[in-house]
């Protein structure tokens, strides 16, 4: 950046740093999330703030660093912050979508990224001047090292952000294996925010690559946009953590060897028990029915129930239960006994707890809305 202290573009970095400090404090005071998720989100805010500070010090010509130690510390601070924000975002997403999540020994593998970039900086002597390609002692070899380091720092956040988005997608699919009623608003906004960071960091990567072919001033102008989007996304993620994160339903951990799994061949008796339990006991009328409650009534381990529903009924638990609910609603809509009931009353009586879910499923299975279905059947009579 080649502007006096501080122009509007520098100011957004200062504001990002200040906001991140405040968000960490608010996270400690206001968070309703589990402790590990709150700590990871705080770590993410710290790293984003540190990254903003390091970028401000690195690219502002009017904030000069004269000490060799300070220049090296700045370089190490920047690479650490980039790795930290990438890993913390990914682990935060995992923490709020999995039951009983805790950091394990295998998670330490993420530190390999940190050891890599720190070793890269120290071994190559890549201080802040060399990161800016302004060092008088730059050799062809050190320039190549610096280029590779920048490539790594730009690609790493993109990889982690898209990996986090993939985790959310899988999480949404897993929810449908365990719950008959659920709101996807929380997962939807989490996915949107994560993709926002992924695209923002991808844009930063594109600008970096453009910088190899266009002038520095042009690339710098494009890169400034990244700072504004980061500021918006950080604030949005904090708001999300307060409003939605603690409400997310959690999925189960992967099976351990000792846990019960579905047999290779499914017995007709197990299939009949699942169908009879649903139809005779009308468990689908329970709005918050989940697969564990249902499996207890069937008398089969819930993992086996899920596998049978997937293989024999060619659907998931969410779809399986809601098809019964739609059929119940259809019966009520054509029954004169329920003629005075509103559609809202009927959807609640048939086991739905969400109007959007009811209308979506009803139209899928009948090809029309509930109001049209009632009108059509009444006219036929």
């Amino acid at each position: 950046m080649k502007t006096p202290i501080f122009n509007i573009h520098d100011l957004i970095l200062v504001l990002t740093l200040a906001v991140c400090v405040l968000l960490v404090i608010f996270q400690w005071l206001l968070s309703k999330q589990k402790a590990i998720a709150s700590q990871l989100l705080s770590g993410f805010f710290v790293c984003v703030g540190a990254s903003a500070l390091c970028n401000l010090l690195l690219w502002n010509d009017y904030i000069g660093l004269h000490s060799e130690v300070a220049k090296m510390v700045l370089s190490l601070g920047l690479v650490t912050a980039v790795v930290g924000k990438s890993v913390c975002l990914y682990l935060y997403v995992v923490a709020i979508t999995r039951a009983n999540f805790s950091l394990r020994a295998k998670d330490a593998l993420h530190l390999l990224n940190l050891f890599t970039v720190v070793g890269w900086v120290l071994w190559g002597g890549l201080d802040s001047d060399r990161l800016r390609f302004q060092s008088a002692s730059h050799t062809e070899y050190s320039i190549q090292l610096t280029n590779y380091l920048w490539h790594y720092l730009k690609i790493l956040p993109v990889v982690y952000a898209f990996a986090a988005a993939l985790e959310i997608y899988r999480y949404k699919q897993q929810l449908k294996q365990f719950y008959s009623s659920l709101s996807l608003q929380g997962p939807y906004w989490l996915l949107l925010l994560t993709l926002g960071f992924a695209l923002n960091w991808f844009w930063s990567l594109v600008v970096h690559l453009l910088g190899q072919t266009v002038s520095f001033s042009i690339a710098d102008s494009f890169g400034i946009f990244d700072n504004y989007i980061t500021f918006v996304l950080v604030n949005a993620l904090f708001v999300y953590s307060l409003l939605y994160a603690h409400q997310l339903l959690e999925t189960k951990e992967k099976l351990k060897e000792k846990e019960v799994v579905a047999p290779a061949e499914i017995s007709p008796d197990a299939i009949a028990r699942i169908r009879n339990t649903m139809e005779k006991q009308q468990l689908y009328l329970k709005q918050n029915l989940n697969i564990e409650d249902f499996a207890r009534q069937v008398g089969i381990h819930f993992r086996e129930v899920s596998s049978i529903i997937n293989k024999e009924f060619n659907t998931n638990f969410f779809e399986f239960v809601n098809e019964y609910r739609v059929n119940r609603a259809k019966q009520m809509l054509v029954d004169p006994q329920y003629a005075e009931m509103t559609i809202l009353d009927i959807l609640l009586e048939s086991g739905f707890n969400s109007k959007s879910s009811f209308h979506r499923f009803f139209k899928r299975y009948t090809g029309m809305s509930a109001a049209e279905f009632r009108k059509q059947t009444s006219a036929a009579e």
Side-chain angles (χ1 to χ4, degrees), residues 1 9 87 119 130 157 224 238 241 273 298 342 354 363 365 370:
M1 298 181 182
H9 307 312
V87 174
R130 287 191 169 184
I224 287 169
F238 174 71
S241 72
R273 286 165 65 184
V298 176
T342 65
S354 164
K363 189 159 189 177
Y365 290 119

Side-chain angles (χ1 to χ4, degrees), residues 36-86:
I36 184 66
S38 183
Q39 291 163 6
L40 288 167
L41 185 58
S42 295
F44 175 73
F45 289 145
V46 167
C47 291
V48 171
S51 179
L53 176 61
C54 290
N55 275 301
L56 178 65
L57 296 175
L58 180 66
W59 298 109
N60 192 307
D61 289 330
Y62 294 86
I63 303 178
L65 295 177
H66 304 291
S67 165
E68 296 300 321
V69 173
K71 293 177 182 179
M72 184 57 70
V73 169
L74 175 57
S75 184
L76 290 171
L78 177 63
V79 299
T80 301
V82 171
V83 172
K85 71 181 183 182
S86 307

Side-chain angles (χ1 to χ4, degrees), residues 23-166:
L23 294 185
V24 170
I25 296 172
F26 291 154
Q27 187 67 25
W28 291 342
L29 296 177
L30 303 176
S31 177
K32 299 177 183 178
Q33 303 176 98
K34 50 190 175 183
I36 184 66
S38 183
Q39 291 163 6
L40 288 167
L41 185 58
S42 295
F44 175 73
F45 289 145
V46 167
C47 291
V48 171
S51 179
L53 176 61
C54 290
N55 275 301
L56 178 65
L57 296 175
L58 180 66
W59 298 109
N60 192 307
D61 289 330
Y62 294 86
I63 303 178
L65 295 177
H66 304 291
S67 165
E68 296 300 321
V69 173
K71 293 177 182 179
M72 184 57 70
V73 169
L74 175 57
S75 184
L76 290 171
L78 177 63
V79 299
T80 301
V82 171
V83 172
K85 71 181 183 182
S86 307
V87 174
C88 284
L89 178 64
Y90 173 76
L91 291 179
Y92 170 69
V93 167
V94 174
I96 62 174
T97 56
R98 292 187 191 172
N100 305 318
F101 172 82
S102 61
L103 292 174
R104 301 173 183 176
K106 65 179 183 180
D107 293 317
L109 292 175
H110 294 294
L111 293 176
L112 291 176
N113 293 297
L114 180 60
F115 296 149
T116 298
V117 294
V118 168
W120 208 325
V121 169
L122 294 176
W123 182 54
L126 305 181
D127 61 12
S128 59
D129 283 347
R130 287 191 169 184
L131 289 185
R132 293 189 60 181
F133 299 96
Q134 290 188 341
S135 174
S137 62
H138 238 334
T139 64
E140 184 176 343
Y141 176 69
S142 64
I143 289 175
Q144 193 174 41
L145 276 181
T146 305
N147 271 323
Y148 288 151
L149 176 62
W150 276 119
H151 294 340
Y152 191 89
L153 293 176
K154 294 298 181 180
I155 292 172
L156 185 69
V158 177
V159 172
Y160 269 98
F162 277 112
L166 182 59

